[in-house]
PDB file of all heavy atoms in Angstrom:
ATOM      1  N   LEU W 400     -30.847  36.875 -92.103  1.00 86.00           N
ATOM      2  CA  LEU W 400     -31.916  35.939 -91.764  1.00 86.00           C
ATOM      3  C   LEU W 400     -32.403  36.268 -90.362  1.00 86.00           C
ATOM      4  O   LEU W 400     -31.814  35.829 -89.377  1.00 86.00           O
ATOM      5  CB  LEU W 400     -31.407  34.494 -91.832  1.00 86.00           C
ATOM      6  CG  LEU W 400     -32.421  33.404 -91.460  1.00 86.00           C
ATOM      7  CD1 LEU W 400     -33.634  33.450 -92.389  1.00 86.00           C
ATOM      8  CD2 LEU W 400     -31.770  32.019 -91.522  1.00 86.00           C
ATOM      9  N   PRO W 401     -33.470  37.070 -90.232  1.00 86.00           N
ATOM     10  CA  PRO W 401     -33.968  37.431 -88.904  1.00 86.00           C
ATOM     11  C   PRO W 401     -34.302  36.179 -88.089  1.00 86.00           C
ATOM     12  O   PRO W 401     -34.978  35.276 -88.583  1.00 86.00           O
ATOM     13  CB  PRO W 401     -35.236  38.243 -89.220  1.00 86.00           C
ATOM     14  CG  PRO W 401     -35.009  38.762 -90.608  1.00 86.00           C
ATOM     15  CD  PRO W 401     -34.231  37.700 -91.318  1.00 86.00           C
ATOM     16  N   PRO W 402     -33.807  36.089 -86.853  1.00 81.00           N
ATOM     17  CA  PRO W 402     -34.045  34.877 -86.048  1.00 81.00           C
ATOM     18  C   PRO W 402     -35.519  34.529 -85.892  1.00 81.00           C
ATOM     19  O   PRO W 402     -35.876  33.355 -85.811  1.00 81.00           O
ATOM     20  CB  PRO W 402     -33.411  35.241 -84.695  1.00 81.00           C
ATOM     21  CG  PRO W 402     -32.354  36.257 -85.030  1.00 81.00           C
ATOM     22  CD  PRO W 402     -32.923  37.052 -86.163  1.00 81.00           C
ATOM     23  N   ASP W 403     -36.403  35.550 -85.864  1.00 82.00           N
ATOM     24  CA  ASP W 403     -37.819  35.258 -85.667  1.00 82.00           C
ATOM     25  C   ASP W 403     -38.459  34.614 -86.891  1.00 82.00           C
ATOM     26  O   ASP W 403     -39.557  34.064 -86.796  1.00 82.00           O
ATOM     27  CB  ASP W 403     -38.569  36.541 -85.315  1.00 82.00           C
ATOM     28  CG  ASP W 403     -38.661  37.507 -86.494  1.00 82.00           C
ATOM     29  OD1 ASP W 403     -37.648  37.684 -87.195  1.00 82.00           O
ATOM     30  OD2 ASP W 403     -39.754  38.065 -86.712  1.00 82.00           O
ATOM     31  N   PHE W 404     -37.774  34.666 -88.032  1.00 85.00           N
ATOM     32  CA  PHE W 404     -38.373  34.165 -89.269  1.00 85.00           C
ATOM     33  C   PHE W 404     -38.615  32.664 -89.212  1.00 85.00           C
ATOM     34  O   PHE W 404     -39.559  32.158 -89.817  1.00 85.00           O
ATOM     35  CB  PHE W 404     -37.464  34.505 -90.453  1.00 85.00           C
ATOM     36  CG  PHE W 404     -38.107  34.271 -91.791  1.00 85.00           C
ATOM     37  CD1 PHE W 404     -39.002  35.180 -92.317  1.00 85.00           C
ATOM     38  CD2 PHE W 404     -37.810  33.133 -92.530  1.00 85.00           C
ATOM     39  CE1 PHE W 404     -39.604  34.965 -93.552  1.00 85.00           C
ATOM     40  CE2 PHE W 404     -38.400  32.915 -93.754  1.00 85.00           C
ATOM     41  CZ  PHE W 404     -39.300  33.836 -94.265  1.00 85.00           C
ATOM     42  N   LEU W 405     -37.763  31.934 -88.504  1.00 83.00           N
ATOM     43  CA  LEU W 405     -37.873  30.479 -88.452  1.00 83.00           C
ATOM     44  C   LEU W 405     -38.547  29.976 -87.177  1.00 83.00           C
ATOM     45  O   LEU W 405     -38.619  28.771 -86.963  1.00 83.00           O
ATOM     46  CB  LEU W 405     -36.475  29.842 -88.567  1.00 83.00           C
ATOM     47  CG  LEU W 405     -35.722  30.135 -89.870  1.00 83.00           C
ATOM     48  CD1 LEU W 405     -34.347  29.483 -89.837  1.00 83.00           C
ATOM     49  CD2 LEU W 405     -36.504  29.641 -91.069  1.00 83.00           C
ATOM     50  N   ARG W 406     -39.052  30.895 -86.350  1.00 83.00           N
ATOM     51  CA  ARG W 406     -39.681  30.462 -85.102  1.00 83.00           C
ATOM     52  C   ARG W 406     -41.119  30.016 -85.297  1.00 83.00           C
ATOM     53  O   ARG W 406     -41.682  29.376 -84.417  1.00 83.00           O
ATOM     54  CB  ARG W 406     -39.632  31.605 -84.076  1.00 83.00           C
ATOM     55  CG  ARG W 406     -38.224  31.867 -83.546  1.00 83.00           C
ATOM     56  CD  ARG W 406     -38.220  33.050 -82.610  1.00 83.00           C
ATOM     57  NE  ARG W 406     -36.846  33.422 -82.242  1.00 83.00           N
ATOM     58  CZ  ARG W 406     -36.491  34.623 -81.826  1.00 83.00           C
ATOM     59  NH1 ARG W 406     -37.423  35.578 -81.713  1.00 83.00           N
ATOM     60  NH2 ARG W 406     -35.250  34.889 -81.528  1.00 83.00           N
ATOM     61  N   ASP W 407     -41.715  30.366 -86.399  1.00 85.00           N
ATOM     62  CA  ASP W 407     -43.080  29.955 -86.689  1.00 85.00           C
ATOM     63  C   ASP W 407     -43.108  28.447 -86.935  1.00 85.00           C
ATOM     64  O   ASP W 407     -42.427  27.933 -87.828  1.00 85.00           O
ATOM     65  CB  ASP W 407     -43.588  30.706 -87.913  1.00 85.00           C
ATOM     66  CG  ASP W 407     -45.051  30.429 -88.195  1.00 85.00           C
ATOM     67  OD1 ASP W 407     -45.350  29.298 -88.638  1.00 85.00           O
ATOM     68  OD2 ASP W 407     -45.887  31.320 -87.984  1.00 85.00           O
ATOM     69  N   GLY W 408     -43.905  27.710 -86.140  1.00 86.00           N
ATOM     70  CA  GLY W 408     -43.920  26.253 -86.243  1.00 86.00           C
ATOM     71  C   GLY W 408     -44.410  25.755 -87.588  1.00 86.00           C
ATOM     72  O   GLY W 408     -43.872  24.783 -88.125  1.00 86.00           O
ATOM     73  N   ARG W 409     -45.421  26.411 -88.165  1.00 90.00           N
ATOM     74  CA  ARG W 409     -45.939  25.992 -89.467  1.00 90.00           C
ATOM     75  C   ARG W 409     -44.876  26.190 -90.549  1.00 90.00           C
ATOM     76  O   ARG W 409     -44.704  25.346 -91.431  1.00 90.00           O
ATOM     77  CB  ARG W 409     -47.206  26.780 -89.794  1.00 90.00           C
ATOM     78  CG  ARG W 409     -48.375  26.448 -88.893  1.00 90.00           C
ATOM     79  CD  ARG W 409     -49.495  27.468 -89.035  1.00 90.00           C
ATOM     80  NE  ARG W 409     -50.094  27.455 -90.370  1.00 90.00           N
ATOM     81  CZ  ARG W 409     -51.091  26.657 -90.737  1.00 90.00           C
ATOM     82  NH1 ARG W 409     -51.593  25.788 -89.878  1.00 90.00           N
ATOM     83  NH2 ARG W 409     -51.596  26.733 -91.949  1.00 90.00           N
ATOM     84  N   ARG W 410     -44.167  27.317 -90.469  1.00 91.00           N
ATOM     85  CA  ARG W 410     -43.125  27.568 -91.463  1.00 91.00           C
ATOM     86  C   ARG W 410     -42.003  26.541 -91.339  1.00 91.00           C
ATOM     87  O   ARG W 410     -41.480  26.044 -92.343  1.00 91.00           O
ATOM     88  CB  ARG W 410     -42.585  28.981 -91.310  1.00 91.00           C
ATOM     89  CG  ARG W 410     -41.530  29.355 -92.373  1.00 91.00           C
ATOM     90  CD  ARG W 410     -41.192  30.831 -92.307  1.00 91.00           C
ATOM     91  NE  ARG W 410     -42.385  31.616 -92.560  1.00 91.00           N
ATOM     92  CZ  ARG W 410     -42.827  32.593 -91.786  1.00 91.00           C
ATOM     93  NH1 ARG W 410     -42.156  32.917 -90.688  1.00 91.00           N
ATOM     94  NH2 ARG W 410     -43.920  33.249 -92.083  1.00 91.00           N
ATOM     95  N   ALA W 411     -41.625  26.233 -90.110  1.00 91.00           N
ATOM     96  CA  ALA W 411     -40.563  25.240 -89.901  1.00 91.00           C
ATOM     97  C   ALA W 411     -40.963  23.881 -90.462  1.00 91.00           C
ATOM     98  O   ALA W 411     -40.153  23.189 -91.096  1.00 91.00           O
ATOM     99  CB  ALA W 411     -40.231  25.135 -88.417  1.00 91.00           C
TER     100      ALA W 411
END
Side-chain angles (χ1 to χ4, degrees):
L400 178 60
D403 70 317
F404 191 79
L405 298 178
R406 289 177 188 157
D407 186 288
R409 292 167 65 87
R410 183 171 299 128

